[in-house]
Amino acid sequence: MDKQIITKLGYNFGFRDGFCDECGGRCCTGTSGYIWISEDEAQKAASFLLMDIQSFADAYLFAAKGRLSIREKEYNGAHACIFFDEKEKNCSIYDVRPTQCRTFPFWDYFKTHNEEALNECPALITL
Ligand code: SF4
């Protein structure tokens, strides 16, 4: 059966649902970058990991540009989100991942940088 293609107004690419199992987590690894997380999302992630918010923040977050970002780790000569599961090749906090992760690849930035999105995510096709 063909995979469903998710589209959004303003984007000239579509996302083929179901490809994430095959790609090895390219949106969670590679070039270093901020992985923004709100205080509310951090609280949810801390609860998911059965941690108190202070311990969670100390272990996994850092402050930048007046916001909170998830730490990264070295991975395959580059970087990965600290929550990237290297064995399973997926997100270890998937059910409580922050909005930035939930909304990938439909970010405003990619409206005008669609080649970057297409290079990063094998689930995308040009419309
Ligand atoms: S929180 Fe999960 S989905 Fe988001 S970058 Fe980290 S590993 Fe990937």
Side-chain angles (χ1 to χ4, degrees):
M1 195 172 87
D2 286 343
K3 294 181 190 294
Q4 183 191 358
I5 298 175
I6 299 167
T7 59
K8 284 205 169 184
L9 200 62
Y11 297 86
N12 61 355
F13 55 74
F15 179 87
R16 289 174 288 178
D17 200 16
F19 261 74
C20 295
D21 292 340
E22 302 171 25
C23 106
R26 286 169 61 174
C27 56
C28 307
T29 64
T31 310
S32 181
Y34 296 113
I35 308 161
W36 303 118
I37 184 168
S38 71
E39 288 184 21
D40 186 50
E41 290 167 339
Q43 181 62 65
K44 286 192 173 84
S47 299
F48 180 79
L49 296 173
L50 305 178
M51 296 174 75
D52 65 80
I53 186 63
Q54 192 59 57
S55 303
F56 176 85
D58 289 346
Y60 300 126
L61 307 183
F62 66 97
K65 303 183 181 187
R67 303 171 73 182
L68 293 171
S69 178
I70 297 174
R71 292 184 191 278
E72 296 175 305
K73 58 186 174 182
E74 289 185 16
Y75 177 69
N76 277 354
H79 299 85
C81 173
I82 196 96
F83 294 121
F84 180 66
D85 185 323
E86 297 176 31
K87 186 161 167 280
E88 300 296 329
K89 305 274 187 275
N90 60 22
C91 176
S92 62
I93 61 163
Y94 187 80
D95 288 347
V96 291
R97 67 198 187 287
T99 300
Q100 175 173 328
C101 308
R102 289 178 186 277
T103 56
F104 178 87
F106 295 105
W107 297 347
D108 278 349
Y109 177 80
F110 288 138
K111 283 182 179 173
T112 49
H113 298 78
N114 63 310
E115 284 304 322
E116 280 184 47
L118 287 159
N119 285 336
E120 182 166 332
C121 181
L124 301 188
I125 53 166
T126 305
L127 299 175

